[in-house]
Amino acid sequence: MPEQIVLIAGAGPTGLVLALWLTRLGIKVRIIDKTAEPGTTSRALAVQARTLEYYHQIGLDDAVVAGGVKIENLNLWAGGRRMAGVPLQRTGEGVTPYAFALVFPQDAHERLLIERLVTLGVHVERRTELLRFSQNESGVTATLRRPDGSEEVCDAPYLAGCDGAASIVRGQLGIGFPGGTYTGLFYVADVIATGEPVDKDLHVDIEDADFLLLFPLKGKAHWRLVGNAHDLPAGEHGKLSFDDVKGKAVEHLKLNIQKVNWFSTYRVHHRVALRFRDRRAFLLGDAAHIHSPVGGQGMNTGIGDAVNLAWKIAQVLKRGASEKILDTYEPERIAFARRLVATTDRGFALVTRRGALAAVVRKRIVPLVVPVLFRIRAMRRLLFRTVSQTQVNYRDSSLSEGSAGKVRAGDRLPWVKLASGEDNFAPLTSLAWQVHVYGELKEGLREACNELRLQLHPFAWESGMQRAGFQSGAVYLLRPDGYVALADPSADPNRLRQYLAGRELVV
């Protein structure tokens, strides 16, 4: 039987992470992209804590954190002065080992992912385009255009469409992409600037409906500006330059612009594909969902898609599990994408709404309310969990069964810092199904795990485990992506056997 190689169309962060995870799981990949080189400009800046947790599993977290900037404070500006400040350094303390906000631009992010793939022997095939494909019961047959213009036919068990908002994969599958486009034009500028804004702080101008954000980057006085400009005269959008929009940065945020490295404009859409899968073809990232930049969710959501699909494909190709497990990709990810688009729509409307009342809310109420909310521990933690994507769960998935303590199947494994200085996330680097027990092991459990070839990780009971929601002595069966598949308060070895057999899983 010929070696099976998964075909990935698109080498943005989603496609690259999919390739990394599949490769680490022992699956051969072929990743193609029609562009001649990786992007040198980018809009995506935020790397959320959940993404860093995924990266920890494949040994990439330290490099990403080292390459980025940890945001120390959020500053709200209006009337040319700082109206309020909120500390962000330890917002998610106790929730995750990455209890901070991190800025790491997508272009640098992509370069790091590509370098890591190269060390694993995987190279992006540039100027290689997916022209068309067909499917049958055993796989996908795709026609590619090579850099020299010739065509090549290749076979793959699965095709992953990570090819962006104008996805060829989605288009050829005929999958609808309902939604719309926000009015107005948006811009991003990479600048060297000095002035009143403090390095390592995120600055937001809330003076009017034309929002402006200033993100710190690595390097002295290096900033990324993101804003909108919908008051330009008709016909001016195509001629827009940084000089047309710099007034706000200079006047509102007190910036002295010394150099503009690059400047570009774009439009913002909000859409979710009607389906994320058609037989052996899958949609991920911007090919499946696009939304407003509120909360810095887009790139991170695509990376979550990639991790979710990677281990499931590996279960089938490497372990011989039933293809039924692939049926869970769409319902798990599409539900989150729909909620995210609805949430970011509301946030975007709040930021950009016009009128006297909206202006009062932004300039008077928001600077008063936001600092108060962040002083309330429960609210601060809720906001962090939501934005960091550590609250994303698959409780309604067919792979989720049971609850023990406050932990329900489908939840991300709660993080616990142990008295030894280690944490309970360390075993997740195996990318394997595993059982965690916090407290005493029930008789027969170790034997059952050996029989089922499940890794068993017992942890001596500590008070922090109860705070995290665990029940002493319960069994928590974990998926390779760190989500709880089975939570059994009785720790019955037979329930483990029944769970795996009933879902035709081979671990």
Side-chain angles (χ1 to χ4, degrees):
M1 183 178 179
E3 188 173 37
Q4 293 187 305
I5 302 175
V6 174
L7 178 61
I8 302 172
T14 299
L16 294 169
V17 171
L18 178 62
L20 270 171
W21 265 70
L22 284 171
T23 302
R24 284 290 310 275
L25 288 163
I27 304 301
K28 296 286 187 180
V29 301
R30 184 175 183 184
I31 180 168
I32 64 172
D33 198 287
K34 64 181 180 181
T35 62
E37 59 185 16
T40 55
T41 64
S42 62
R43 299 190 298 272
L45 294 163
V47 180
Q48 303 296 353
R50 188 65 183 120
T51 295
L52 290 171
E53 291 175 357
Y54 289 138
Y55 283 174
H56 167 70
Q57 292 188 253
I58 57 173
L60 196 63
D61 53 330
D62 289 343
V64 172
V65 173
V69 174
K70 293 181 182 179
I71 303 298
E72 294 183 354
N73 302 285
L74 165 65
N75 295 303
L76 304 177
W77 292 67
R81 62 192 181 95
R82 194 179 79 102
M83 301 294 290
V86 176
L88 298 179
Q89 300 100 310
R90 299 161 64 183
T91 315
E93 193 169 40
V95 175
T96 174
Y98 311 99
F100 47 80
L102 184 74
V103 168
F104 187 49
Q106 181 179 329
D107 49 344
H109 197 151
E110 286 185 17
R111 289 195 298 272
L112 178 60
L113 295 171
I114 290 168
E115 290 168 5
R116 190 58 57 96
L117 272 174
V118 168
T119 66
L120 297 174
V122 178
H123 298 266
V124 177
E125 298 180 43
R126 294 285 173 187
R127 294 190 296 133
T128 302
E129 185 176 2
L130 174 66
L131 296 178
R132 55 190 174 273
F133 63 92
S134 61
Q135 303 187 66
N136 57 39
E137 291 183 359
S138 60
V140 175
T141 299
T143 302
L144 312 179
R145 179 183 287 131
R146 292 169 167 163
D148 63 3
S150 63
E151 293 186 3
E152 172 194 357
V153 175
C154 75
D155 294 315
Y158 301 106
L159 168 63
C162 307
D163 49 346
S167 171
I168 295 296
V169 176
R170 189 187 65 245
Q172 293 202 13
L173 291 173
I175 294 176
F177 202 34
T181 303
Y182 295 107
T183 57
L185 196 69
F186 300 81
Y187 71 87
V188 56
D190 189 277
V191 303
I192 303 298
T194 58
E196 288 190 24
V198 179
D199 287 353
K200 295 190 177 180
D201 283 6
L202 169 62
H203 302 272
V204 183
D205 176 40
I206 58 173
E207 187 155 348
D208 53 33
D210 289 340
F211 72 87
L212 177 64
L213 298 93
L214 182 64
F215 295 89
L217 302 181
K218 279 283 189 181
K220 186 177 180 181
H222 193 183
W223 300 90
R224 187 69 53 84
L225 278 164
V226 178
N228 63 348
H230 56 225
D231 280 336
L232 294 174
E236 290 291 312
H237 289 173
K239 305 174 185 176
L240 188 66
S241 69
F242 183 70
D243 286 339
D244 296 308
V245 299
K246 70 178 183 181
K248 285 189 175 186
V250 173
E251 298 164 14
H252 294 198
L253 294 183
K254 308 295 186 181
L255 276 183
N256 174 25
I257 308 292
Q258 299 174 347
K259 181 183 178 183
V260 180
N261 295 320
W262 54 263
F263 170 82
S264 66
T265 60
Y266 60 100
R267 294 192 181 276
V268 175
H269 308 270
H270 49 110
R271 302 178 183 275
V272 179
L274 293 177
R275 289 177 289 138
F276 285 10
R277 180 192 182 191
D278 183 316
R279 292 167 288 169
R280 293 180 169 271
F282 300 85
L283 300 178
L284 303 84
D286 286 356
H289 45 78
I290 47 177
H291 31 79
S292 89
V294 170
Q297 301 291 299
M299 179 180 66
N300 297 275
T301 304
I303 290 169
D305 295 341
V307 174
N308 187 288
L309 182 60
W311 74 264
K312 293 172 182 176
I313 286 179
Q315 281 288 128
V316 176
L317 296 183
K318 193 77 174 178
R319 301 293 183 185
S322 167
E323 288 196 350
K324 290 178 182 178
I325 195 171
L326 297 175
D327 295 338
T328 65
Y329 167 70
E330 179 182 299
E332 287 188 354
R333 296 306 297 175
I334 202 169
F336 173 59
R338 287 169 175 161
R339 287 195 304 272
L340 182 60
V341 167
T343 302
T344 54
D345 272 355
R346 289 192 292 271
F348 195 74
L350 175 65
V351 171
T352 60
R353 182 170 289 127
R354 302 196 150 208
L357 178 60
V360 169
V361 170
R362 274 191 296 270
K363 289 193 285 187
R364 306 279 184 178
I365 299 177
V366 170
L368 292 174
V369 171
V370 170
V372 173
L373 291 178
F374 271 81
R375 283 197 290 270
I376 302 171
R377 186 173 183 272
M379 182 59 69
R380 187 171 65 243
R381 181 167 285 207
L382 174 62
L383 291 169
F384 177 83
R385 286 182 181 274
T386 301
V387 174
S388 68
Q389 299 196 353
T390 55
Q391 192 162 266
V392 173
N393 68 76
Y394 305 132
R395 291 177 176 177
D396 295 329
S397 172
S398 61
L399 291 177
S400 302
E401 179 183 321
S403 63
K406 295 179 181 178
V407 179
R408 292 175 57 184
D411 290 349
R412 155 194 166 273
L413 177 71
W415 177 70
V416 176
K417 182 73 175 287
L418 305 175
S420 65
E422 299 294 321
D423 65 24
N424 64 329
F425 276 15
L428 301 181
T429 57
S430 67
L431 307 185
W433 286 86
Q434 56 195 266
V435 169
H436 284 203
V437 176
Y438 300 86
E440 294 293 324
L441 284 181
K442 183 174 180 178
E443 185 178 351
L445 188 58
R446 189 178 297 277
E447 292 75 15
C449 288
N450 289 336
E451 169 200 326
L452 298 167
R453 293 184 297 178
L454 280 169
Q455 296 180 9
L456 174 61
H457 297 281
F459 298 89
W461 185 255
E462 298 179 12
S463 59
M465 296 170 179
Q466 185 172 6
R467 287 195 299 271
F470 291 114
Q471 177 178 319
S472 180
V475 156
Y476 299 94
L477 173 65
L478 303 180
R479 307 168 5 162
D481 58 357
Y483 284 88
V484 178
L486 170 67
D488 179 15
S490 65
D492 183 357
N494 286 326
R495 194 168 178 188
L496 271 177
R497 297 184 178 95
Q498 291 164 2
Y499 175 91
L500 297 173
R503 290 162 179 81
E504 301 177 58
L505 293 171
V506 182
V507 297

